[in-house]
Every structure is written in C-alpha cells, then in structure tokens.
Amino acid sequence: MHADLTAHDRAESARLIERHRRATAGFGDLVHAVRSDEWGLPTPCAEWTVRELVKHVTAENLWMPSLLSGATTDDVGDRFDGDVLGDDPLRAWDVAVAEALAALDAPGALTRAVHLSFGDTSADEYVRQLLADHLVHAWDLSQALDADGRLDDELVTACADWFDAVEETYRRAGVVGRREPVAVDADAQTRLLARFGRSATRFLVERFTHAFNAHDVDAVMR
C-alpha cells in the first residue's frame, strides 16, 4: 500500500481486504460443494439457476484485475460475456478468484479510482460492493443446495453498515428487490437479507412450486 496512507487508513484497507477474502472463501466453499446434478437448481435470484449464479459471481472476479488496474468497462468490452464457466466450473471459479485476490494484493490497489459502467468510484467502495455480493449470493447458493446458510456475523455487520448509506440508491436503481418484512426480533442476518429482498420462506414456496411444476416428487418431499 502507498506510503502516504496513514496508519489508520492502512489498517482499514487491510481489514477490508481480509473481510473480502473471507466472503469470497465462503462463496467458494459452496461452489465446491455443488454436485453434478445440482447446477440446474433454482436459486433465490429470480431466473437464475445455480450455474447462472456461480457464473455471475465468477465473472465479477474476472473483471476485478482489469478494473483495479484502471481499465474502463469499454476497455474490457465483452471479454467476460457468455459462459465463463465452460466445461469445468470449479476450475474456472478457482482461477478467477486467484487472479482477483492477487490484483487486490497489488501495492496501492485500494488507492485508485475504479471506472464502472455507471461512473467512477473509489477502489475500496468497489471492494465493499463485491464483498456484499459474495456474502448475499453465498446465502442464495446455500438455499439452493440445502446447505448451512449461516453467514459470518462480522461480515453481516460490516455489510449492513456499508449498505446503510447506499440502500435507497440501489433500490431506486433496481439493483436490489423490495424489502421483505421481518419479525421485530429478527436477527442481524435475517434483517440484512430482507433489505436485499431475500426471504427464506418465500424461496421455500418458490422451490416447492418449481418442483411441483416439474413433477419432481423427490424434490417436493424435500
């Protein structure tokens, strides 16, 4: 990191990078748990199967080295459009993540501006967006796979603190769905997911409907 950063800034940057790594690892653990017959399962993300969800997050990691190095979206173009998972989704994920994390570890990575499609933002804000995406989509993937959906408490708190300042902007832009209602005594994770338009109960109903319409008796019973 740049020498002109204060000790506080360096500590905050290191903390953000470490949190991002944990969020990425949490999603990656679930990717590696996907069985060959589960890639077509529905997820809480409307219209996305497990494969499409993993493809989306993998593509985000593929974009990361270019954007952190100062490239614009026009510079990257359509390089990461289409099926970035190919015939070996696990390897595609691992390679993309390794390159993304290496880019984040480069000296001064968090001191630059990042040129996104909707305008420029700071690198640390960009990384916070990616942390949130990995965290929330990890829950999405866990629900699709019937896996443990408990998220890292510290990451939930960090994500919620960041989201406080951008939630309404994201909602107006249509980036997140409407808030889901929650009980007054709901825990921090449930409240955060509701702010991102997630509801375990709603997805359970959607899964049942999908299984019923597909005449999949085993899935209906599950």
Side-chain angles (χ1 to χ4, degrees):
M1 297 180 189
H2 285 188
D4 57 353
L5 291 178
T6 67
H8 174 75
D9 289 339
R10 289 194 294 271
E12 285 298 306
S13 294
R15 187 175 296 112
L16 174 58
I17 291 172
E18 189 271 336
R19 286 172 173 166
H20 175 269
R21 282 184 173 274
R22 280 160 50 199
T24 302
F27 187 89
D29 288 344
L30 288 162
V31 172
H32 278 271
V34 180
R35 300 193 309 264
S36 60
D37 62 342
E38 292 180 321
W39 291 100
L41 292 177
T43 73
C45 298
E47 310 301 325
W48 279 358
T49 64
V50 166
R51 184 181 177 92
E52 288 161 338
L53 174 60
V54 173
K55 179 179 72 174
H56 164 74
V57 183
T58 301
E60 286 194 328
N61 282 284
L62 289 171
W63 274 88
M64 200 171 176
S66 297
L67 293 178
L68 285 178
S69 68
T72 66
T73 53
D74 287 340
D75 292 333
V76 177
D78 61 1
R79 194 186 317 167
F80 305 126
D81 291 352
D83 184 7
V84 297
L85 297 181
D87 296 330
D88 192 345
L90 300 186
R91 183 177 184 280
W93 164 261
D94 289 341
V95 169
V97 168
E99 293 177 354
L101 295 180
L104 188 56
D105 281 338
L110 290 186
T111 65
R112 305 173 184 137
V114 175
H115 310 295
L116 302 177
S117 58
F118 54 82
D120 291 357
T121 190
S122 63
D124 59 345
E125 173 64 16
Y126 170 58
V127 174
R128 288 186 177 91
Q129 294 171 12
L130 293 176
L131 187 160
D133 223 38
H134 283 80
L135 185 69
V136 174
H137 283 321
W139 181 85
D140 293 332
L141 191 50
S142 75
Q143 299 305 289
L145 302 178
D146 280 333
D148 182 5
R150 190 70 225 169
L151 302 175
D152 183 308
D153 288 340
E154 184 192 354
L155 297 185
V156 167
T157 299
C159 184
D161 290 345
W162 163 78
F163 201 46
D164 285 342
V166 300
E167 179 177 0
E168 293 311 314
T169 300
Y170 274 47
R171 185 156 285 109
R172 286 196 301 270
V175 178
V176 295
R178 66 176 178 82
R179 274 195 184 212
E180 292 286 337
V182 296
V184 293
D185 60 347
D187 63 16
Q189 174 175 315
T190 301
R191 292 197 302 272
L192 176 66
L193 292 170
R195 294 170 67 187
F196 278 88
R198 266 67 174 178
S199 164
T201 301
R202 177 165 56 80
F203 180 58
L204 181 62
V205 173
E206 291 170 353
R207 280 184 57 187
F208 177 86
T209 302
H210 179 274
F212 183 84
N213 290 338
H215 307 293
D216 187 337
V217 177
D218 291 338
V220 168
M221 297 306 296
R222 285 197 301 273

